[in-house]
Each structure stands twice: as structure tokens, then as C-alpha cells.
Amino acid sequence: MNAGQPPRSVTVSAPAKVNLALHVTARRPDGYHELDSLVAFADVGDRLVLEPAAAFALEISGPFAGALADVPPDDNLVLKAARYLAEAWPGHFSPVRIRLEKRLPVAAGIGGGSADAAAVITGMLRLFGRPEESDVDERLRTLALELGADVPVCLQGRPCRMQGIGERIVPLSGFPPLPAVLVNPGVPVSTPAVFARLGLAPGQPAGSGLPQPLPSTDAGTMQWLEWLSTCRNDLEEPAVAEAPVIGACLRTLTALPAVRLVRMSGSGATCVALFDQMDASEEAAQALAEKHPDWWVTACRLG
Ligand code: C5P
């Protein structure tokens, strides 16, 4: 750091992304799957600290750092996101050193890598300011989608309906914070493998989209829970076939006292149990953690 220039760094959180509904509506001719999904974010997540540096660098700590030990830093979505931005606006963004505290399980259906990549974009914009261009938002959205289908929605970081492969996003106003427990039974799941098990041919239509209409902006917790119970995650069945412990996890959550709704998130293996009271979710999380010390269990609020 130059003398006279104050050291700068920004801290950004990367909240867990939870698909409360995930309907697969078709397979596109290019092989990707069209979705209609309701996405919310937890008040738990990874944490990133970014600071300007002479060269791009990544350090990973935290309880799930080990799961990324075999990924070469250059292949990590975090560094990829930082480099993409610097290449997209040369001269505006400079290299950064990123410290990532990995608190979320990896390959878990809660967007870990996508949330981290979105947090890097947010952090770089805070550190270096927004490029002054009229189409900056559109270019950022395109860049985010190139990094991964879930990165644009993670960039929003608030409840959204997500369609297409992740490029059509509508934020939902009035979504009530929902008490929840997130549980990961400890098996990493490959997203392409789960999608492949659906067995859809390129161009083939699949199931229906989200039930219409969505709850209105003044709907309360119970109305949202009721509507969500009419939705589904079409990846649950193929994910259970891929990793049967997910089925055991879903059954365990369904048997919890006071639970309102149980669903897998994304392509798994993380499952979510929803409650209408925060103390019920905290009690459930404590009981689960005692009974399954090898599972990752956390009470949180989704919103
Ligand atoms: O974009 P992302 O890296 O998250 O996707 C991982 C893989 O999951 C894709 O390469 C694709 O095989 C599959 N996928 C899909 N349809 C989606 C999202 C992901 O088929 N909407």
C-alpha cells in the first residue's frame, strides 16, 4: 500500500440461496433446463474480505475450507468472478486479494460458489465504484450468468421468482421472513448428474411452472406456507436416486414437531424445514444436531 493511501478493504456476506420451489419446465435445445423457481436467502452464509493487491489471490478458511482444498485457486468461481470483472472493464478494476471464510457446505444446492461469486462482484463494485456506462447493469447480468446460472439471483440477494435458466428474475415484495432449519447430510451432489437423471431430451417440455397466482404482496406467513405446499422441487427424486441419504434426511425433517413444510433445495443435498415460529425452528435444529452430529444443521431466517 502506498504511503498516504489508507488501506482499504470491504467485507461482504454471501448468504445461502434456498430454492423453496423448483419446477423444471423444459430442456432447452442446448441441454440446459428451463426452471420456474422461488428463491429466498438465509441469514447464514460465507464471508469474504476483499482488498486491492498487486495480483489476484485467494485464501480460504472456515469449517468447509477443506472441501475446496483440491480445487486449483484459478478454477475457483471466486477468482474467476474477480478476473472476469477486471477483464470486462480494464483500467477500472484492479487485482484483489480475497479471503473467503467458507461456512456453507460445498456442492450442496444452496448456491455456495454462486453466492461467493456474486459477493465478489458486489465487493469489487464497492471497492472500485461502478463503471460509468449506461448499460452497466445489463453487462453485469450477462457476466453473472456466464459465471453460473444461479449467480444473477445471488446478486439480487432477496426473495425472487427465477425463470429460464436463471436469467429472468423478478424480486418479490412482501415476502415474510420464514423461520427455517437447513440440513445437509454430508454428501456432495453433482448438479449435472442430478439434471441428467431427469432423462429429458434436448428441446423436450417437462412439468408445469409455479402455481398461479403467486401470493399477493400483503400475504402473511401462513398464506405463503400454504402456497409453497402446492409447489415442488422436481430435482428431489433424481437427487434421492443419486444420494439416498437425502431421502432419509427428508423423512427425518418431516417427522419434526411443528414443521410446516419440508423440501430439498436446488439439486441437493441440503434440505429445508419451514416453521411459523423462530423458537420452533431453533428447538428443531438443536434436537437434530444432537441426533445427527455428522449432519450440518443450522436454524435461520429466510427472506
Ligand atoms: O450454471 P451452473 O454451473 O450452476 O450449472 C451446472 C450444470 O448444471 C450445467 O452445466 C448443467 O449441466 C446443469 N444445469 C442445467 N440447467 C440449469 C442449471 C444447471 O442443466 N438450469
Side-chain angles (χ1 to χ4, degrees):
M1 195 64 62
N2 293 336
Q5 197 179 339
R8 292 181 305 159
S9 73
V10 293
T11 302
V12 199
S13 59
K17 167 227 72 164
V18 178
N19 301 87
L20 289 174
L22 193 162
H23 294 209
V24 177
T25 56
R27 190 167 185 206
R28 300 198 318 191
D30 71 359
Y32 267 80
H33 294 76
E34 292 268 353
L35 312 177
D36 196 354
S37 179
L38 193 119
V39 181
F41 292 87
D43 55 3
V44 298
D46 294 339
R47 193 170 156 272
L48 294 90
V49 180
L50 281 73
E51 58 192 349
F56 288 102
L58 173 63
E59 288 166 26
I60 309 176
S61 63
F64 290 99
L68 295 175
D70 295 336
V71 181
D74 283 348
D75 291 351
N76 191 300
L77 213 50
V78 163
L79 275 189
K80 231 175 173 170
R83 288 207 166 100
Y84 264 40
L85 268 187
E87 281 161 19
W89 285 279
H92 183 85
F93 296 105
S94 310
V96 284
R97 170 173 169 252
I98 301 170
R99 278 173 285 155
L100 165 63
E101 190 182 341
K102 195 78 208 154
R103 295 176 177 174
L104 299 176
V106 170
I110 47 175
S114 306
D116 294 345
V120 166
I121 296 173
T122 303
M124 298 264 289
L125 290 172
R126 268 194 226 155
L127 260 185
F128 300 106
R130 290 169 68 79
E132 283 176 21
E133 267 174 37
S134 55
D135 65 343
V136 63
D137 285 331
E138 199 185 318
R139 284 187 68 194
L140 281 172
R141 272 196 297 272
T142 307
L143 186 142
L145 194 65
E146 272 170 33
L147 286 164
D150 278 340
V151 180
V153 79
C154 288
L155 211 44
Q156 290 282 338
R158 56 187 163 146
C160 288
R161 180 181 183 183
M162 181 181 102
Q163 292 174 280
I165 66 162
E167 76 282 13
R168 276 157 54 209
I169 295 167
V170 181
L172 300 170
S173 41
F175 186 85
L178 293 178
V181 179
L182 300 181
V183 181
N184 184 285
V187 282
V189 173
S190 153
T191 300
V194 171
F195 274 110
R197 275 187 187 264
L198 287 172
L200 294 170
Q204 188 180 335
S208 58
L210 294 182
Q212 300 296 313
L214 268 67
S216 59
T217 49
D218 58 353
T221 301
M222 296 316 273
Q223 279 163 289
W224 271 99
L225 288 171
E226 211 168 291
W227 179 81
L228 284 168
S229 71
T230 66
C231 301
R232 39 179 219 273
N233 181 346
D234 288 329
L235 298 180
E236 251 177 46
E237 210 180 297
V240 170
E242 189 76 8
V245 68
I246 296 171
C249 184
L250 289 167
R251 284 191 295 277
T252 303
L253 296 187
T254 305
L256 287 170
V259 72
R260 296 287 175 184
L261 184 77
V262 171
R263 189 153 286 152
M264 190 185 80
S265 177
S267 55
T270 305
C271 299
V272 57
L274 296 180
F275 298 81
D276 55 21
Q277 299 290 331
M278 201 59 208
D279 50 1
S281 68
E282 278 160 4
E283 274 169 37
Q286 202 173 340
L288 279 168
E290 279 166 22
K291 204 166 164 209
H292 297 278
D294 51 331
W295 289 3
W296 176 78
V297 178
T298 185
C300 63
R301 232 180 248 281
L302 300 180

